[in-house]
Amino acid sequence: GAVVSQHPSRVICKSGTSVKIECRSLDFQATTMFWYRQFPKQSLMLMATSNEGSKATYEQGVEKDKFLINHASLTLSTLTVTSAHPEDSSFYICSAKTGGEFYEQYFGPGTRLTVT
Amino acid sequence: GQNIDQPTEMTATEGAIVQINCTYQTSGFNGLFWYQQHAGEAPTFLSYNVLDGLEEKGRFSSFLSRSKGYSYLLLKELQMKDSASYLCAVTDSNYQLIWGAGTKLIIKP
């Protein structure tokens, strides 16, 4: 099956710094990638949808200047959390899908971000 | 508004059968997914239903009734490793995935 990787798997950073998370589709070209965050014991919350070569579409309530998303190629999308604060600590998960609306999303293993 | 309901938590015994229900109210419907998520890990795909009826895949089966806005995931011959959260998600008319809050399944020996 399709494989999606995320890096890093865990990161601890100090308040005020920026953190970049990479999401890669390893064996397929992902026309669309999604970024989710998940708080403990809660479901996935979609943050933004990114299509290769175009600007990301952010969900309501998600600050685009704080969560910078770049989808520069068909196999790589990055999420940068700028000026991180403790409340940004969460589990961030990316997913990718090939073209076609009915295709399943393939999830990366997630990144645990802790801001101290 | 769009809404997906599933029980918060269920408990079952090893070797038994459990059914996890999901009801949905969405603007349009283009398919329903079930995902399994172990604690601290990303979701993994279990099933996809777009037509009414039962889809069987090994120990797991998923059922869909579009007229009732209802689906269930059936797990047979439960194993301890099946302890996880099970997420129901519906693709709406805009092909956006709407997620349920997940059902935490606890398996007891």
Side-chain angles (χ1 to χ4, degrees):
Chain A
V3 179
V4 176
S5 70
Q6 262 183 260
H7 177 79
S9 58
R10 292 177 181 271
V11 58
I12 300 173
C13 70
K14 292 185 177 181
S15 187
T17 61
S18 295
V19 174
K20 179 185 283 188
I21 303 170
E22 290 187 351
C23 177
R24 293 182 184 273
S25 56
L26 298 185
D27 52 2
F28 68 101
Q29 291 187 328
T31 55
T32 306
M33 287 186 169
F34 304 87
W35 286 96
Y36 295 88
R37 67 187 299 181
Q38 186 177 33
F39 292 106
K41 300 183 180 180
Q42 294 187 25
S43 189
L44 300 167
M45 185 194 82
L46 180 65
M47 298 176 66
T49 303
S50 75
N51 294 295
E52 185 265 340
S54 62
K55 291 184 178 180
T57 302
Y58 289 81
E59 295 301 301
Q60 193 172 10
V62 178
E63 300 174 58
K64 62 181 181 181
D65 294 331
K66 180 171 181 61
F67 298 99
L68 302 179
I69 292 173
N70 183 281
H71 192 161
S73 76
L74 285 171
T75 59
L76 173 64
S77 177
T78 60
L79 167 68
T80 301
V81 183
T82 62
S83 187
H85 289 97
E87 56 265 32
D88 298 325
S89 298
S90 186
F91 191 46
Y92 291 86
I93 308 173
C94 74
S95 70
K97 70 172 191 175
T98 58
E101 290 83 2
F102 294 99
Y103 284 23
E104 64 179 279
Q105 293 183 26
Y106 302 97
F107 284 87
T111 297
R112 176 73 59 191
L113 170 64
T114 304
V115 184
T116 60
Chain B
Q2 312 215 80
N3 194 48
I4 296 183
D5 288 318
Q6 45 181 138
T8 304
E9 186 173 298
M10 299 182 70
T11 302
T13 305
E14 189 177 16
I17 299 173
V18 71
Q19 178 175 310
I20 302 174
N21 295 325
C22 171
T23 58
Y24 62 89
Q25 293 175 312
T26 56
S27 53
F29 177 84
N30 280 300
L32 184 146
F33 293 85
W34 283 96
Y35 284 88
Q36 180 191 61
Q37 185 178 27
H38 286 99
E41 298 180 13
T44 55
F45 171 79
L46 290 178
S47 67
Y48 172 69
N49 294 68
V50 65
L51 299 176
D52 289 350
L54 187 68
E55 295 277 346
E56 297 186 76
K57 190 184 293 185
R59 293 190 299 115
F60 294 4
S61 302
S62 57
F63 171 83
L64 174 67
S65 170
R66 289 172 296 172
S67 62
K68 296 181 179 178
Y70 167 70
S71 172
Y72 67 72
L73 179 69
L74 190 72
L75 292 78
K76 302 177 184 177
E77 303 170 15
L78 286 170
Q79 301 174 10
M80 298 302 293
K81 67 178 182 179
D82 297 329
S83 292
S85 287
Y86 291 85
L87 305 172
C88 173
V90 172
T91 309
D92 68 8
S93 57
N94 294 320
Y95 298 100
Q96 182 162 334
L97 208 53
I98 311 299
W99 292 88
T103 298
K104 183 179 180 180
L105 178 62
I106 300 169
I107 309 297
K108 295 186 175 181

